[in-house]
Amino acid sequence: MKTILITGGAGFIGSHVVRRFVNKYPDYLIVNLDTLTYAGNLENLKDIDTLPNYQFVKGDINESVLMNTLFEKYQFDGVLHLAAESHVDRSISDPMSFIMTNIVGTVNLLNAAREIWKDKTEGKRFYHISTDEVYGSLGETGFFLETTSYDPKSPYSASKASSDHLVRAYHNTYNLPVVITNCSNNYGPNQFPEKLIPLAIHNISHNKPIPIYGKGENIRDWLYVEDHAAAIDLVFHAGKNGETYNIGGHNEWTNIALIRQLCQTLDKKLGRAPGTSEGLITYVKDRAGHDLRYAIDATKIQQELGWKPSLQFEEGIEKTVDWYLANPGWLANVASGAYEKYYEKQYTSR
Ligand code: NAD
Ligand code: DAU
């Protein structure tokens, strides 16, 4: 039996990764470590939380003593590190929590792994899940490669870039068996409605304005979350130590085109006349330092490990919209209380 630590498993991507590993690998004990910030929600895992190969530990990766204690207790064979502060807008208004969790928290985990594994690293793996935002912003052409220089522009991406550098440094300096992936924008069920797609679905359903930053011309490369989870599974088991793999959907959309597509899908599903929801589109003040375009070249993971996205975007969006419409309670729960205050502060001044 292998014991695997997944950090941030109550969040959006983490919950899909935990579910996949718990169901697919009954001979692994999956320990989900999450401090349950506003973005962590154990409801995301209620279908698997009684399974014998799953354990939840509420804990903060910023607490180094706790990390050492947990590694000592469980003697983890592998780590999939997803816990992070993940929202760019929040990093603009409150950078410090990003510095703490994304940089210091990552180093606490690296130290704990190093301390337990020492030089017995055969079969061990520290997998750091990162973002394409570390590469900065593209112009109208070109793609991010694994060799593209880092040029992060927001406090969020700078904190993720720092953590990537530290993970590599622990490999080079201490031979820690690490692997890193940098993925493009994910979408799908269970994403917190501060991010563009669930925010738009929530607002359209409630006939509220859909805030589009600037002119809506920024471009993102969207990947369905379960395709990301499949890539993570593959890299964890077959990736090479010390390597980086880019993961992306080859699926670029301007924000405004994506929102129009979402409006059309929701008009159909909600029985509204075509064009109704588009009337909710509202242009607001741009995000500070807003990256123009992200686009991933995923040739390396495709050629070396045989991964490629399984879903077309239209199908993924349909599944996503269906999930949010079928789970209004989930959205209502997370969109209440503290989130309402955040929303008011974030959008009323724009
Ligand atoms: P999320 O914000 O939905 O979830 C983050 C989880 O981490 C939450 O459950 C939260 O409670 C937990 N967490 C936060 N701080 C913690 C701490 N100090 N200790 C323990 N747990 C803590 O994030 P997500 O969108 O699922 O992203 C997961 C990872 O994937 C992040 O590292 C992010 O940088 C990376 N990533 C995200 C995307 C995307 O499009 N969402 C794309 C590429 C990479
Ligand atoms: O590229 C990977 C990254 O994708 C991840 O590392 C981040 O964790 C994740 O949050 C995401 O970052 P983005 O900033 O690209 O995602 P977000 O959903 O916040 O915004 C997507 C685009 O939509 C971006 O150009 C900003 C714009 N936007 C966003 C919001 C919340 C709007 O126009 N209006 C909005 O209200």
Side-chain angles (χ1 to χ4, degrees):
M1 182 125 186
K2 280 193 169 192
T3 306
I4 308 294
L5 173 67
I6 301 183
T7 72
F12 166 47
I13 302 171
S15 60
H16 289 271
V17 174
V18 166
R19 176 175 303 98
R20 183 181 179 95
F21 272 64
V22 167
N23 286 330
K24 190 171 167 194
Y25 302 110
D27 54 334
Y28 290 0
L29 173 65
I30 303 299
V31 179
N32 171 15
L33 170 70
D34 198 301
T35 198
L36 302 179
T37 65
Y38 75 93
N41 185 350
L42 289 178
E43 270 234 4
N44 294 347
L45 292 166
K46 63 178 189 302
D47 54 322
I48 55 118
D49 69 4
T50 54
L51 294 179
N53 66 331
Y54 172 73
Q55 278 183 30
F56 174 69
V57 176
K58 185 172 179 333
D60 189 335
I61 61 169
N62 292 321
E63 292 177 21
S64 60
V65 176
L66 175 66
M67 291 311 103
N68 293 338
T69 312
L70 282 177
F71 274 74
E72 181 69 44
K73 174 176 172 192
Y74 286 99
Q75 298 285 318
F76 298 118
D77 298 293
V79 178
L80 288 96
H81 175 37
L82 294 101
E85 289 292 341
S86 70
H87 190 39
V88 174
D89 291 326
R90 288 187 192 250
S91 84
I92 294 168
S93 50
D94 172 26
M96 194 46 91
S97 56
F98 288 71
I99 308 306
M100 291 312 297
T101 289
N102 298 359
I103 306 177
V104 177
T106 300
V107 174
N108 286 336
L109 291 166
L110 289 166
N111 284 338
R114 190 181 154 223
E115 181 60 33
I116 288 299
W117 295 340
K118 299 203 166 66
D119 53 359
K120 294 201 181 67
T121 55
E122 185 66 35
K124 309 288 192 243
R125 170 144 284 176
F126 189 105
Y127 179 0
H128 178 61
I129 282 84
S130 192
T131 170
D132 61 356
E133 298 200 11
V134 299
Y135 299 122
S137 181
L138 290 164
E140 280 167 17
T141 57
F143 294 92
F144 296 135
L145 291 160
E146 287 80 358
T147 49
T148 302
S149 299
Y150 276 32
D151 189 17
K153 309 276 196 205
S154 73
Y156 163 69
S157 54
S159 69
K160 291 296 290 188
S162 308
S163 62
D164 291 11
H165 289 318
L166 285 157
V167 171
R168 275 191 203 103
Y170 273 60
H171 175 68
N172 289 322
T173 311
Y174 308 117
N175 285 320
L176 201 74
V178 309
V179 66
I180 300 178
T181 51
N182 296 85
C183 188
S184 64
N185 286 62
N186 284 215
Y187 70 99
N190 306 100
Q191 187 169 29
F192 195 83
E194 64 189 353
K195 308 280 168 69
L196 181 66
I197 289 181
L199 184 146
I201 295 173
H202 184 243
N203 287 15
I204 295 167
S205 314
H206 291 85
N207 269 309
K208 282 173 64 177
I210 313 163
I212 302 289
Y213 297 164
K215 295 185 177 146
E217 285 165 359
N218 303 69
I219 294 172
R220 297 293 182 263
D221 170 1
W222 294 94
L223 178 69
Y224 192 66
V225 63
E226 284 177 9
D227 277 330
H228 188 191
I232 288 174
D233 184 355
L234 197 60
V235 171
F236 182 70
H237 290 98
K240 284 199 202 113
N241 282 337
E243 292 288 321
T244 293
Y245 301 88
N246 280 354
I247 304 172
H250 250 302
N251 178 40
E252 293 181 48
W253 289 74
T254 60
N255 293 335
I256 189 63
L258 182 148
I259 292 301
R260 290 208 170 104
Q261 165 88 18
L262 213 48
C263 287
Q264 280 170 24
T265 307
L266 275 148
D267 278 346
K268 273 193 224 130
K269 305 249 174 213
L270 297 172
R272 294 179 182 168
T276 309
S277 300
E278 278 198 27
L280 297 168
I281 291 175
T282 308
Y283 292 94
V284 298
K285 190 172 156 225
D286 209 351
R287 174 184 277 173
H290 198 172
D291 289 340
L292 176 67
R293 174 172 167 256
Y294 306 144
I296 282 279
D297 182 335
T299 307
K300 179 175 172 181
I301 187 170
Q302 192 164 343
Q303 288 187 348
E304 290 187 15
L305 304 181
W307 174 87
K308 61 178 184 349
S310 71
L311 278 192
Q312 293 294 317
F313 191 57
E314 289 68 17
E315 201 186 332
I317 277 293
E318 183 105 7
K319 276 171 82 124
T320 304
V321 167
D322 285 346
W323 185 86
Y324 282 101
L325 294 182
N327 292 278
W330 186 93
L331 256 185
N333 260 347
V334 299
S336 64
Y339 178 65
E340 270 179 5
K341 281 199 198 112
Y342 162 82
Y343 195 88
E344 215 174 290
K345 197 163 149 231
Q346 175 70 13
Y347 292 98
T348 44
S349 59
R350 284 194 120 95

